[in-house]
């Protein structure tokens, strides 16, 4: 197992749709193990394959809720159903999210409160998860990565502009940039 470099916004693999997983073999299981290790080292609550430079429709997640229950899994070729989004003012405390491909930054974004995830695990076994709140947000964020969409692409005014500024300030937005959890500390 290995911690993998995480691509930073501007790298083409983050901005293009990923391909379906077609074989649930040892290679995929090794990738999944590396992705879990990378997510833990970052640390993060979700990581999509394009973020480690692999253009496949695959993400891992690991998040402990306010009751101490751990939600952890791998989703290949996911399908996501979403509840309608509420309208009204954004709550920056409760609706701000971050992304390991824009390390150290956070911006508020409205998401659907509920989601149903259908996907395959690393052995190709189908499963379904009903999620609310933060877990539903994680699923939406990671699913977007598989379509080449970063949360920064979805931000409303004035947060979208602030994200563009942050990308420029950090010197991101060009191909080939990455950081290595445990070695680089981009939030410092
Ligand atoms: Zn992300």
């Amino acid at each position: 197992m290995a911690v993998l470099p995480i691509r930073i916004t501007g790298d083409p693999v983050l901005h293009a749709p990923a391909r379906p997983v077609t074989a649930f073999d040892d290679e995929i299981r090794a990738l999944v193990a590396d992705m879990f290790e990378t997510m833990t080292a970052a640390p993060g609550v979700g990581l999509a394959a394009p973020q480690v430079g692999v253009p496949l429709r695959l993400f891992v997640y690991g998040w402990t809720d306010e009751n101490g229950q751990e939600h952890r899994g791998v989703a290949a070729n996911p399908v996501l159903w979403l509840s309608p989004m509420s309208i009204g003012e954004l709550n920056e405390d409760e609706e701000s999210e971050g992304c390991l491909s824009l390390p150290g930054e956070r911006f508020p974004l409205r998401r659907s409160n509920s989601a149903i995830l259908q996907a395959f695990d690393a052995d190709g076994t189908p499963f379904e998860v009903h999620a609310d709140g933060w877990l539903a947000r994680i699923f939406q964020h990671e699913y977007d990565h598989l379509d080449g969409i970063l949360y920064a692409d979805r931000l409303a005014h004035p947060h979208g502009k602030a994200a563009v500024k942050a990308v420029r300030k950090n010197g991101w937005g060009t191909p080939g940039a990455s950081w290595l959890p445990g070695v680089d500390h981009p939030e410092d």
Side-chain angles (χ1 to χ4, degrees):
M1 297 220 305
V3 173
L4 305 172
I6 297 176
R7 305 293 174 98
I8 289 174
T9 183
D11 199 275
V13 71
L14 292 172
H15 305 284
R19 299 189 305 264
V21 174
T22 53
F24 294 89
D25 52 14
D26 286 348
E27 200 178 329
I28 280 290
R29 282 183 285 274
L31 172 65
V32 166
D34 286 348
M35 286 172 63
F36 272 118
E37 194 176 340
T38 303
M39 178 179 72
T40 302
V45 294
L47 184 69
Q51 292 183 276
V52 293
V54 179
L56 289 176
R57 302 189 75 79
L58 173 76
F59 67 78
V60 298
Y61 61 95
W63 174 69
T64 302
D65 67 25
E66 45 283 359
N67 300 317
Q69 195 193 333
E70 197 191 18
H71 305 268
R72 187 179 164 89
V74 46
N77 302 341
V79 179
L80 204 56
W81 280 269
L82 302 176
S83 63
M85 267 185 230
S86 63
I87 52 170
E89 285 291 300
L90 277 168
N91 181 324
E92 296 213 14
D93 287 336
E94 291 179 7
E95 299 187 271
S96 287
E97 61 185 73
C99 177
L100 296 175
S101 293
L102 292 92
E105 303 292 341
R106 290 182 77 77
F107 297 99
L109 173 64
R110 179 59 42 85
R111 296 284 195 183
S112 295
N113 191 56
S114 300
I116 301 171
L117 170 72
Q118 285 187 341
F120 298 88
D121 69 14
D123 297 315
T125 306
F127 68 93
E128 183 174 304
V129 179
H130 293 236
D132 294 304
W134 202 260
L135 187 60
R137 180 179 291 272
I138 292 169
F139 289 164
Q140 289 166 77
H141 180 116
E142 300 310 328
Y143 185 91
D144 270 353
H145 273 301
L146 310 184
D147 286 337
I149 297 167
L150 300 185
Y151 86 111
D153 301 328
R154 290 195 180 277
L155 297 174
H157 184 78
H159 307 293
K161 210 171 167 184
V164 169
K165 260 188 182 169
V167 167
R168 200 182 306 139
K169 178 179 70 101
N170 284 293
W172 299 335
T174 53
S178 67
W179 67 284
L180 188 61
V183 175
D184 303 316
H185 300 277
E187 70 277 15
D188 295 344

